[in-house]
Amino acid sequence: MSAERELPTNLDIREVLEGLLGRDVVPSPGKGANGDDAAGTVAVYSSGPTPAGLLAMDLATSAILGAAIGLVPRGGAEAAMEDGELSPLLAENLAELLNVMAPLVPVDDGHHGRLHEVYGSGTACPPDVADALRRPTGRLDLTLEVAGYGSGQLSLLLV
């Protein structure tokens, strides 16, 4: 008998991000991200060949987290937002952070998903992923405020 999968809490998100970034992170209920921001980022987590979850964020959150994890000054995140896309450095930093966030995506065997694919900075996600991001249930929609960097939208969905 497998345990029912549950979305992480705001506290779970905060603890993981604060541990990675070394700065205060305040998650609060938000409108979230649904993948419509073509410059945003969508991470797909899987359990073997089976999708387990999606983590979507707008460009602001992508830039903020990519900069904060790499100790890039706030201006680097702001430049990405002005340019409408992540620099290669911020995209690489963000991909590393998304990999380490995999424990937030539970799978049926009580373990966690693995990062399978990252779509971002103009790379469209496949139609099935885009459709799943628009699902109104089984999701956690947040506004993230990262101390010294700003705020943006993030959504985590179990699939």
Side-chain angles (χ1 to χ4, degrees), residues 41-104:
T41 304
V42 177
V44 179
Y45 296 89
S46 64
S47 174
T50 307
L54 305 171
L55 183 63
M57 55 189 75
D58 61 7
L59 175 60
T61 302
S62 300
I64 288 165
L65 294 179
I69 191 73
L71 302 176
V72 174
R74 179 182 178 147
E78 291 170 343
M81 288 182 258
E82 289 172 12
D83 293 344
E85 66 181 4
L86 296 181
S87 68
L89 173 66
L90 293 186
E92 182 179 334
N93 290 350
L94 181 60
E96 291 298 324
L97 180 134
L98 291 168
N99 188 43
V100 180
M101 291 180 71
L104 293 171

Side-chain angles (χ1 to χ4, degrees), residues 120-145:
S121 288
T123 304
C125 53
D128 60 329
V129 173
D131 289 345
L133 287 170
R134 289 179 182 81
R135 191 181 71 214
T137 59
R139 59 187 296 139
L140 177 64
D141 295 322
L142 299 172
T143 296
L144 286 183
E145 175 73 35

